[in-house]
Amino acid sequence: MGDSVNLRVPKKGYRLFKTKNWMVFKEGVWHNNPIFGMMLGLCSTLAVTNLVSNALVMSIAVTLVLVVNSAIISSLRNLIPERVRMIAYMLIISSLVITVDMVLKIVLPEASKALGPYVALIITNCILMGRAEAYAINNTVGLSVSDALGVGLGYTFSLTIISIFRELIGFGSILGFAVLPDQFPHVALFTIPPGAFFALGTFILIINAIRNRGKKS
Amino acid sequence: MNLFLLLFASVITSNIALSYFLGMCPFVTISKKIDVAAGMGIAVTMVMTLTASANWLIQNLLLVPLGLEFLQFLVFIVTIATIVQILEIVIDRYFPVMYLSFGIFLPLITVNCAILGISLFMVLRSYGFIETVLYSFGSGVGWLLAIVTMGGLRRNLVFSKPLANFGDPGITAIIAGIMALGFIGFTGVSG
């Protein structure tokens, strides 16, 4: 892995923030953010952000599958024939999701019930296919795992802020603990499906505004 | 359950795009033009009805008797990929005009979460065969209705100039929210 550590500067030591792995990771979190940058995986984003706990469980599941999938595909990248690579991704992803679903059913049965079919729908989540095809198939295991971790964290970040907003405004609580005083009105709109769209639209506006600041003439 | 109510609910009040958020990626990216949106919608309706029916048969005649339910996801996704592939070949061979209008969307559909989602909902709600056919067809029509409406609404954005920072996806999400409110308004009708 000579590509990641600059051995020429031993005096300053190993600088994490200058390595290629770190750059790839940072790119995944912000610039290539799956929700606000690439607009991938919107189904689960909208569906599970009604409660912070659902969003967190979903994020962990997706990140886990993403990292393991990228590691497997990048380590097999010289063995998978080009013509059948899509089917190979699909089979690997399905097997991983089956495992995650089974573990979730045993470890967190309530969360598993709340998420319903959306755990299984990780299989068709475009983020996984996207990172496999766009990154893992052409890069080393180390870089692919950094990329997957970055994108996974970007997904977690997006889901968390949207779900905090929706749960706070809709139920007046965060993770089930009442935060706002009782007399504060609960806007039930944000607990039902249309509210999910409004929340997503609003956050896209905010994130784009932050990204484009200073760009305009 | 009343079959007509089931059909009505799957098209309008429990619309898979607007209340279950399935198939969101094409819903946002392919809804710019009405004719393209309609092509995608028809392809989705067709594939959805076929795959859900096939998956019902596989689930109830093969997986349950053999105790292999844990392989459900894997088997379902393979069935979907196979059916889409066969459909593409058949349409390309026998209906070339149809192929040009919506056949090009078929390969994209394998990873459309709406297709897999309907098969999973069908198992979760333990529908019978007739119910599954109606439910999957109705859901497809509902998705078609939603994406075509979205295409029509987005065309009018030329005149309204929303904030630039919304970008295409942002304003699509807001429009979808307003549409979802409208669709939910029918809830009283289906009781």
Side-chain angles (χ1 to χ4, degrees):
Chain A
M1 296 281 197
D3 50 34
S4 55
V5 185
N6 190 348
L7 296 170
R8 295 273 172 86
V9 281
K11 276 180 193 165
K12 287 175 183 169
Y14 178 78
R15 291 187 300 178
L16 176 69
F17 299 113
K18 287 277 193 272
T19 58
K20 196 173 176 201
N21 277 322
W22 178 261
M23 295 296 176
V24 169
F25 175 76
K26 208 174 71 179
E27 187 89 340
V29 175
W30 183 247
H31 194 72
N32 269 347
N33 183 299
I35 311 297
F36 299 120
M38 303 189 284
M39 300 295 156
L40 295 178
L42 292 181
C43 312
S44 52
T45 310
L46 291 161
V48 304
T49 48
N50 56 345
L51 295 172
V52 180
S53 55
N54 287 350
L56 284 179
V57 173
M58 187 69 182
S59 305
I60 292 168
V62 168
T63 309
L64 207 65
V65 175
L66 192 59
V67 170
V68 179
N69 182 47
S70 279
I72 294 178
I73 286 176
S74 59
S75 56
L76 294 177
R77 69 186 185 280
N78 296 325
L79 298 174
I80 301 175
E82 209 191 326
R83 285 186 63 98
V84 295
R85 65 188 193 287
M86 291 290 173
I87 299 169
Y89 303 158
M90 211 87 214
L91 292 179
I92 296 171
I93 294 171
S94 313
S95 317
L96 291 173
V97 171
I98 291 178
T99 318
V100 167
D101 186 51
M102 282 172 152
V103 171
L104 212 56
K105 266 186 188 138
I106 298 167
V107 181
L108 295 166
E110 280 176 32
S112 167
K113 201 166 275 175
L115 291 175
Y118 293 101
V119 176
L121 287 174
I122 296 177
I123 297 176
T124 50
N125 195 319
C126 334
I127 300 173
L128 296 161
M129 269 305 216
R131 289 337 280 169
E133 174 71 11
Y135 206 88
I137 196 77
N138 293 319
N139 287 284
T140 57
V141 179
L143 284 177
S144 301
V145 169
S146 304
D147 174 69
L149 275 175
V151 172
L153 196 70
Y155 181 82
T156 310
F157 161 75
S158 316
L159 257 68
T160 311
I161 56 170
I162 298 178
S163 62
I164 287 178
F165 175 75
R166 283 184 68 190
E167 191 175 338
L168 192 65
I169 306 282
F171 296 101
S173 60
I174 289 175
L175 277 172
F177 299 107
V179 176
L180 295 177
D182 280 344
Q183 54 272 50
F184 205 87
H186 294 175
V187 186
L189 172 70
F190 283 101
T191 64
I192 57 173
F197 287 110
F198 291 136
L200 178 69
T202 312
F203 273 104
I204 290 176
L205 177 69
I206 295 171
I207 300 275
N208 279 343
I210 297 173
R211 282 192 176 175
N212 297 338
R213 72 189 186 284
K215 256 188 206 170
K216 293 274 161 58
S217 53
Chain B
M1 188 182 185
N2 189 326
L3 291 179
F4 177 74
L5 276 186
L6 178 72
L7 189 65
F8 183 79
S10 61
V11 179
I12 308 276
T13 49
S14 328
N15 188 290
I16 48 163
L18 298 171
S19 44
Y20 290 101
F21 316 111
L22 297 177
M24 268 302 127
C25 300
F27 189 74
V28 173
T29 48
I30 310 188
S31 60
K32 261 187 191 158
K33 287 185 179 155
I34 295 186
D35 47 348
V36 184
M40 184 70 183
I42 294 171
V44 165
T45 310
M46 209 156 86
V47 173
M48 197 177 272
T49 317
L50 281 176
T51 52
S53 316
N55 280 337
W56 188 91
L57 293 174
I58 291 173
Q59 166 81 9
N60 287 289
L61 302 181
L62 216 63
L63 296 184
V64 173
L66 294 177
L68 291 173
E69 286 107 323
F70 66 92
L71 283 180
Q72 205 185 51
F73 307 157
L74 196 60
V75 174
F76 280 6
I77 199 80
V78 172
T79 319
I80 291 170
T82 317
I83 288 183
V84 169
Q85 200 80 67
I86 295 173
L87 207 62
E88 201 188 347
I89 295 169
V90 170
I91 293 180
D92 188 22
R93 177 81 178 73
Y94 296 103
F95 310 98
V97 180
M98 262 165 85
Y99 186 79
L100 284 181
S101 63
F102 67 82
I104 37 173
F105 299 113
L106 285 174
L108 294 174
I109 286 183
T110 312
V111 285
N112 185 330
C113 51
I115 308 287
L116 181 64
I118 290 302
S119 289
L120 295 170
F121 272 121
M122 164 270 287
V123 173
L124 273 181
R125 298 176 184 170
S126 42
Y127 283 147
F129 186 68
I130 305 288
E131 284 169 326
T132 300
V133 174
L134 276 178
Y135 172 66
S136 53
F137 177 72
S139 300
V141 173
W143 200 84
L144 169 70
L145 189 67
I147 196 171
V148 169
T149 316
M150 176 59 90
L153 290 172
R154 278 182 77 176
R155 203 177 50 171
N156 290 331
L157 283 180
V158 187
F159 305 113
S160 50
K161 296 197 186 65
L163 286 174
N165 277 334
F166 267 123
D168 265 355
I171 197 68
T172 310
I174 299 288
I175 297 176
I178 299 170
M179 273 169 66
L181 276 180
F183 276 62
I184 281 184
F186 281 99
T187 307
V189 179
S190 65

